[in-house]
Amino acid sequence: MLYDPSQKYQPHPPIHLPDRQWPNKQLTHAPRWLSTDLRDGNQALADPMDGLRKLRFWELLLQCGFKEIEVAFPSASETDFQFVRQLIEERRIPHDVTIQVLTQARTDLIERTFAALEGASRATLHLYNATAPLFRRLVFRQSKEEIIQLAVSATRQIRALCEANPQTQWSYEYSPETFCFTESDFALQICEAVADVWEPCCERPMIINLPATVEVNTPNVYADQIEYFCRHFSRRNAVCISVHPHNDRGSGVASAELAILAGADRVEGCLFGNGERTGNVCLVTMAMNLYSQGVSPQLDFSDIKHVVEEVEQCNQLPVHPRHPYAGKLAFTAFSGSHQDAIKKGFTARQQSSSPLWEMPYLPVDPNDIGCSYEAVIRVNSQSGKSGAAWILEQNHGLVLPRGLQQDFSRHVQEQTDRDGNEMTLNALWQLFRKLYGPHQLADRQLLEYRSESQTEGGLSLQARVQTPEGILTLQGKGNGLLSATADALKSQFKVAFSIEDYHEHTLGRHSESRSAAYIRCTFANGESCWGVGIDNDVARASLQALLNALPIKSSN
């Protein structure tokens, strides 16, 4: 990298628009969407899709609710041409879906494109040519007038062919392909010239697509360009303004969102941002951004995992695990402070009757897009007490007392630090069982107990406990069941301890639900231990928890 990059690279100049209006606007409805996955996204693949993969992707786009789909560049390959024919001849295009195809401004390619569309009930023909100074000078070596004439002549041919095939409901799209670094006045000039030929109206719909073919500036500059065009184009009310942002600077979604604020009506892009180089705007992200603000995107991503799987299979490209909304880790928190905030958020939600989603770190409810809460919190060495507690609550119904959360997280962190890996749900549960014995431990299992009230007050307890050495009979007295059990254990095992914490709760809402009990005992040397018991009888759960809290074995 150069110490002074200005010796090699120059900033792209903004346009002068001091009275811009878009910063004061808000997104309140979804734009028209066009998926270019089957064309632009397909061209960007090292291994372009064959007919079967394209058909599979086509079905996915229909399931997601797309009504406009750019399906091919028919003159570019026989596969693309035949795919268009298959959709038409096999009547795979729903009546409310419009297919779109792309062509360059060449007579033979335009004719080939119309041949592919023969018999379509409705279609959009998309013409493009590059307009920026760099392309005029280096690539085509043509003047502005020659560039305009190319677009106008092609448009004239397309209109004539459309009129010669009235059985199809035609729409026309024109793209000054390198709009974002074309002079604003020239972009207007060439689009005006094309529109003069097409003469857009209800019978002849027209889309003017203004692509950020290569991102060359910040999204606000693109928005200024869009607003300037919308304010100065003479036939603005007769055309649909579309945008096609690429992602070279990583701002594809932001550019599209600001472009809509600036007056655009339609967004072209790909699922998960596929496309040439760094890709196009991600339609999933933009749609879900709207959804998170309470705006219906008019697209269905309620089973986002299925969408990811299908796209990965068709594109042979992975979706990044941290891709917004769709990545495997998109809703996952490893950080202790994040986990604690999320856990408290879910607790508050359970206690609230409000339908509004208010959750720290989670902009949308994972359930809305078919994701479970299991992946929201995962445990590694960076996790705090809330992470492990959340997992046990979600998967086993255990609501750990704060002190037990702290004690367990210390053991979890010791193991994850030692292993250097994430701790799986099964490993976490096995560690918890080993430490606290929520189900009866092999060396101290309560078999049965009986208690009786004493005439002098309190009660007596008699219990049978299975140990490795055999069955022990315990006897004790106390003010209550736990104190009587503690008396029996102190006498049997010759150990001094006191019960410092006791908590219990049911594991369900039904009367037959099991109960969980948590007990912390403190010993003469200052150490303390927790025990957990689970049983249909809350009293049995409490007694078993007390047995599990004692780090001793039978002396008989």
Side-chain angles (χ1 to χ4, degrees):
M1 295 179 67
L2 300 175
Y3 178 76
D4 180 9
S6 67
Q7 296 176 0
K8 187 174 183 179
Y9 303 100
Q10 293 296 309
H12 189 272
I15 68 171
H16 184 66
L17 194 68
D19 59 339
R20 59 181 62 84
Q21 299 300 307
W22 64 262
N24 299 318
K25 297 182 179 180
Q26 185 175 1
L27 297 175
T28 58
H29 63 276
R32 286 170 56 178
W33 304 104
L34 174 87
S35 163
T36 65
D37 289 275
L38 295 173
R39 192 274 300 173
D40 195 24
N42 187 39
Q43 288 177 324
L45 301 177
D47 178 20
M49 288 182 277
D50 57 20
L52 290 177
R53 283 160 61 197
K54 289 195 75 167
L55 190 60
R56 183 173 177 178
F57 211 127
W58 164 261
E59 295 295 336
L60 174 66
L61 294 172
L62 295 181
Q63 292 169 19
C64 292
F66 284 94
K67 302 303 180 184
E68 298 180 67
I69 303 172
E70 191 165 71
V71 295
F73 197 150
S75 62
S77 75
E78 184 64 20
T79 299
D80 272 21
F81 185 94
Q82 292 302 328
F83 180 66
V84 179
R85 297 309 309 151
Q86 180 183 15
L87 294 180
I88 297 170
E89 292 171 2
E90 296 181 3
R91 298 183 179 180
R92 292 181 176 271
I93 307 170
H95 68 89
D96 60 344
V97 172
T98 301
I99 61 170
Q100 178 170 304
V101 295
L102 185 71
T103 183
Q104 293 171 309
R106 279 175 43 188
T107 300
D108 58 328
L109 301 184
I110 293 171
E111 291 176 349
R112 176 69 169 167
T113 302
F114 271 87
L117 291 170
E118 183 179 355
S121 60
R122 54 198 296 173
T124 299
L125 200 139
H126 181 190
L127 174 79
Y128 75 97
N129 67 321
T131 56
L134 180 65
F135 282 75
R136 299 197 307 262
R137 176 169 51 88
L138 291 182
V139 181
F140 300 108
R141 298 182 181 180
Q142 291 181 328
S143 65
K144 289 182 179 180
E145 291 72 21
E146 290 173 312
I147 295 292
I148 291 174
Q149 186 56 42
L150 181 67
V152 166
S153 296
T155 303
R156 189 174 291 115
Q157 179 189 4
I158 289 169
R159 177 169 175 174
L161 288 169
C162 288
E163 292 172 348
N165 294 276
Q167 71 278 8
T168 299
Q169 183 180 335
W170 297 103
S171 181
Y172 177 51
E173 175 173 339
Y174 172 68
S175 293
E177 185 207 2
T178 48
F179 167 79
C180 61
F181 52 103
T182 296
E183 307 93 326
S184 294
D185 58 346
F186 182 57
L188 274 168
Q189 184 183 359
I190 193 169
C191 290
E192 293 278 13
V194 168
D196 286 344
V197 173
W198 183 257
E199 295 182 305
C201 60
C202 293
E203 292 74 27
R204 282 188 305 279
M206 183 177 184
I207 300 163
I208 292 182
N209 184 48
L210 305 175
T213 310
V214 178
E215 269 198 311
V216 294
N217 215 321
T218 50
N220 61 295
V221 174
Y222 186 52
D224 282 349
Q225 293 172 317
I226 299 299
E227 182 172 328
Y228 179 89
F229 187 94
C230 291
R231 286 164 60 173
H232 291 85
F233 185 66
S234 64
R235 301 175 188 260
R236 175 64 187 94
N237 293 331
V239 301
C240 169
I241 299 298
S242 182
V243 292
H244 185 117
H246 277 255
N247 201 43
D248 302 87
R249 293 167 58 95
S251 306
V253 170
S255 292
E257 290 176 331
L258 298 192
I260 296 299
L261 293 178
D265 309 301
R266 181 177 182 256
V267 175
E268 301 186 358
C270 292
L271 302 185
F272 309 119
N274 187 29
E276 291 284 11
R277 306 180 312 279
T278 56
N280 300 324
V281 57
C282 173
L283 299 184
V284 175
T285 301
M286 186 170 175
M288 290 305 303
N289 283 354
L290 288 170
Y291 183 84
S292 73
Q293 300 301 301
V295 177
S296 172
Q298 304 299 310
L299 294 174
D300 183 5
F301 296 120
S302 56
D303 189 355
I304 197 68
K305 291 182 179 179
H306 172 69
V307 177
V308 170
E309 290 169 358
E310 290 296 288
V311 172
E312 289 183 332
Q313 286 295 316
C314 292
N315 283 347
Q316 297 295 296
L317 290 173
V319 172
H320 195 281
R322 296 203 184 276
H323 192 99
Y325 305 105
K328 293 179 180 179
L329 298 178
F331 297 107
T332 300
F334 288 103
S335 163
S337 60
H338 289 209
Q339 293 176 345
D340 184 60
I342 292 170
K343 182 175 182 292
K344 290 175 179 175
F346 273 102
T347 299
R349 182 169 177 78
Q350 291 171 355
Q351 300 169 353
S352 172
S353 60
S354 173
L356 294 178
W357 179 256
E358 295 180 307
M359 190 65 57
Y361 298 111
L362 298 180
V364 300
D365 186 346
N367 271 342
D368 288 357
I369 53 176
C371 299
S372 70
Y373 294 142
E374 290 183 7
V376 169
I377 290 177
R378 289 162 58 178
V379 174
N380 64 14
S381 61
Q382 303 299 306
S383 305
K385 65 181 184 301
S386 295
W390 159 270
I391 290 176
L392 292 179
E393 181 175 350
Q394 293 300 305
N395 292 278
H396 299 282
L398 300 179
V399 184
L400 306 190
R402 180 177 176 81
L404 181 53
Q405 290 182 34
Q406 294 172 331
D407 188 77
F408 185 45
S409 70
R410 175 173 57 84
H411 291 284
V412 170
Q413 188 158 29
E414 287 176 357
Q415 182 159 324
T416 52
D417 277 336
R418 182 172 61 252
D419 298 341
N421 298 319
E422 177 188 357
M423 202 164 190
T424 66
L425 168 61
N426 182 62
L428 198 72
W429 177 236
Q430 294 306 320
L431 178 62
F432 187 80
R433 292 186 62 183
K434 177 182 177 182
L435 293 170
Y436 310 112
H439 298 291
Q440 288 86 344
L441 293 175
D443 60 343
R444 289 189 307 279
Q445 181 177 345
L446 179 66
L447 299 177
E448 60 182 3
Y449 75 94
R450 183 176 68 255
S451 62
E452 295 180 354
S453 298
Q454 301 295 297
T455 55
E456 66 273 17
L459 57 77
S460 63
L461 170 96
Q462 185 170 354
R464 296 173 67 243
V465 177
Q466 178 71 58
T467 72
E469 293 80 8
I471 296 176
L472 295 180
T473 299
L474 305 179
Q475 293 182 331
K477 296 181 180 181
N479 294 327
L481 187 61
L482 279 179
S483 61
T485 306
D487 178 65
L489 291 172
K490 291 174 184 178
S491 174
Q492 176 67 41
F493 296 115
K494 305 296 188 278
V495 60
F497 66 89
S498 61
I499 299 175
E500 298 293 336
D501 282 309
Y502 173 77
H503 305 267
E504 67 178 53
H505 65 81
T506 61
L507 295 177
R509 298 181 179 179
H510 303 292
S511 59
E512 67 273 15
S513 297
R514 293 185 302 166
S515 295
Y518 311 89
I519 290 179
R520 181 172 69 92
C521 294
T522 300
F523 301 93
N525 60 2
E527 294 182 357
S528 64
C529 291
W530 283 88
V532 180
I534 298 175
D535 201 281
N536 293 329
D537 178 357
V538 66
R540 286 184 61 88
S542 302
L543 299 186
Q544 186 64 57
L546 182 55
L547 286 170
N548 294 339
L550 301 182
I552 53 178
K553 294 184 179 181
S554 172
S555 58
N556 289 2

